[in-house]
Amino acid sequence: MPNVAFINGSFMPLAEAKVSIEDRGFQFGDGIYEVIRTYKGRPFALDAHLARLDRSATALDLTQPYSCAEWTHHVLEGIRRAAYPEAKIYVQVTRGVAPRDHVYADELRPTVVMTVREFHPLDRSVQAAGVEAITTEDIRWGRCDIKSVNLLANVLARQQVKKAQVFETILVKEELVTEGAVSNVMVVQGGTVVTAPEGSRILSGVTRAVVLDLALSEGLSIQERFVSQADLYEADEVFLTGTTVEVLAVVRIDGKVIGGGRPGPITQRLAAGFTSRVG
Ligand code: PLP
């Protein structure tokens, strides 16, 4: 069954999956989500994604309908039914269906949606060459640590990416680099890997945590602090981390060449280390 969907406990073909127009996800963006991918058919870091889903739910006073074990069961079943070589699993929980009113009733039943689609990894040639990025003002709200479906600022930022014909945009708030529109950003300065600290200004990426752990185990020094936009251009290396991008070198930002204009040695080392961790 290609492109599997799941709504509130039932699997169905994606084309048949429907939710009410009174769903608060549709009306208010009142919901949370996760994106998980498989390696060799197995979901990567599923527990970390489910833990983050739990944190997002708690932050929004949203009832999590399933335990970690139940979620795992549904995700594995979705992967089995879709039967793709590699899959991208999208899970979403919204506060539920109710007549439109900002205020919500405590007893609402959340709407749970999952889709399983084929995942096409980035081309090896893109990984090998690195990508180009632009910077955009980070106009997002004050709780970027919550993985909310309310993604309007990210949508506008990604549209700038499309217009500029680059790969990603690096968001800048008050002259400090926060993260990418769909990724975390790491900078190498004099052999140290620097990335924005966890907190309300970034989404704490599952891949970010894996890569920081990897860097430490490789004997690299890491610093969790903000870097300025000026320092970004002057960095020895810049790379993105994320579920779909893995560890991906950025070799040009706003038209300025970063480092040597090709993936640097630390980025390459971490990309190779990441590949061996997921394989
Ligand atoms: N930051 C933002 C804004 C994201 O949307 C994402 C992924 O979608 C990430 C960071 C990377 O998170 P993860 O490594 O958990 O995929």
Side-chain angles (χ1 to χ4, degrees):
M1 191 209 279
N3 285 349
V4 165
F6 170 97
I7 302 181
N8 295 333
S10 305
F11 282 98
M12 64 201 74
L14 187 64
E16 289 170 22
K18 291 190 173 50
V19 293
S20 166
I21 62 162
E22 291 207 294
D23 193 275
R24 291 181 61 95
F26 181 66
Q27 296 282 356
F28 295 109
D30 186 358
I32 54 175
Y33 75 105
E34 283 295 323
V35 177
I36 304 136
R37 64 156 290 185
T38 62
Y39 288 94
K40 296 188 184 145
R42 283 195 298 270
F44 177 66
L46 181 57
D47 287 355
H49 283 283
L50 292 176
R52 187 170 62 190
L53 189 69
D54 248 350
R55 289 200 303 276
S56 297
T58 302
L60 294 186
D61 180 32
L62 225 158
T63 311
Q64 255 274 44
Y66 300 129
S67 66
C68 184
E70 287 166 330
W71 264 122
T72 302
H73 172 79
H74 295 314
V75 168
L76 294 179
E77 178 61 12
I79 293 168
R80 191 190 68 74
R81 287 178 184 238
Y84 290 124
E86 298 297 358
K88 183 160 98 168
I89 303 103
Y90 175 82
V91 304
Q92 177 183 296
V93 182
T94 65
R95 201 176 303 275
V97 176
R100 189 180 184 282
D101 185 356
H102 289 65
V103 173
Y104 54 87
D106 292 336
E107 64 276 10
L108 285 186
R109 189 170 75 109
T111 305
V112 181
V113 162
M114 173 169 70
T115 60
V116 185
R117 295 168 190 267
E118 185 162 18
F119 180 71
H120 301 282
L122 264 188
D123 214 77
R124 269 173 200 275
S125 62
V126 175
Q127 287 277 0
V131 297
E132 191 167 347
I134 53 171
T135 56
T136 310
E137 189 191 347
D138 188 349
I139 60 166
R140 297 174 303 162
W141 74 323
R143 289 301 305 271
C144 300
D145 54 318
I146 301 170
K147 201 162 169 67
S148 153
V149 295
N150 213 313
L151 286 170
L152 198 46
N154 306 59
V155 166
L156 296 177
R158 288 295 297 173
Q159 200 61 17
Q160 295 300 314
V161 166
K162 182 180 168 194
K163 243 190 190 166
Q165 297 185 304
V166 295
F167 186 87
E168 174 63 307
T169 184
I170 295 174
L171 304 175
V172 177
K173 196 167 199 121
E174 291 152 6
E175 288 171 34
L176 299 177
V177 171
T178 53
E179 59 182 330
V182 291
S183 59
N184 290 111
V185 175
M186 298 198 183
V187 161
V188 180
Q189 289 175 328
T192 297
V193 178
V194 187
T195 193
E198 286 185 296
S200 58
R201 286 199 164 186
I202 67 158
L203 180 76
S204 181
V206 168
T207 320
R208 174 189 180 279
V210 173
V211 172
L212 288 179
D213 185 59
L214 185 65
L216 285 177
S217 71
E218 294 263 326
L220 296 166
S221 65
I222 62 168
Q223 285 179 8
E224 293 178 73
R225 60 170 172 83
F226 290 105
V227 300
S228 69
Q229 185 169 3
D231 286 346
L232 179 72
Y233 298 135
E234 295 302 317
D236 301 326
E237 305 177 32
V238 175
F239 59 93
L240 309 174
T241 67
T243 295
T244 55
V245 301
E246 303 177 305
V247 175
L248 183 62
V250 180
V251 296
R252 196 181 278 264
I253 302 173
D254 293 336
K256 298 172 175 50
V257 173
I258 304 302
R262 47 190 297 278
I266 290 181
T267 306
Q268 288 189 47
R269 215 166 116 192
L270 292 173
F274 187 79
T275 302
S276 46
R277 276 213 184 179
V278 299

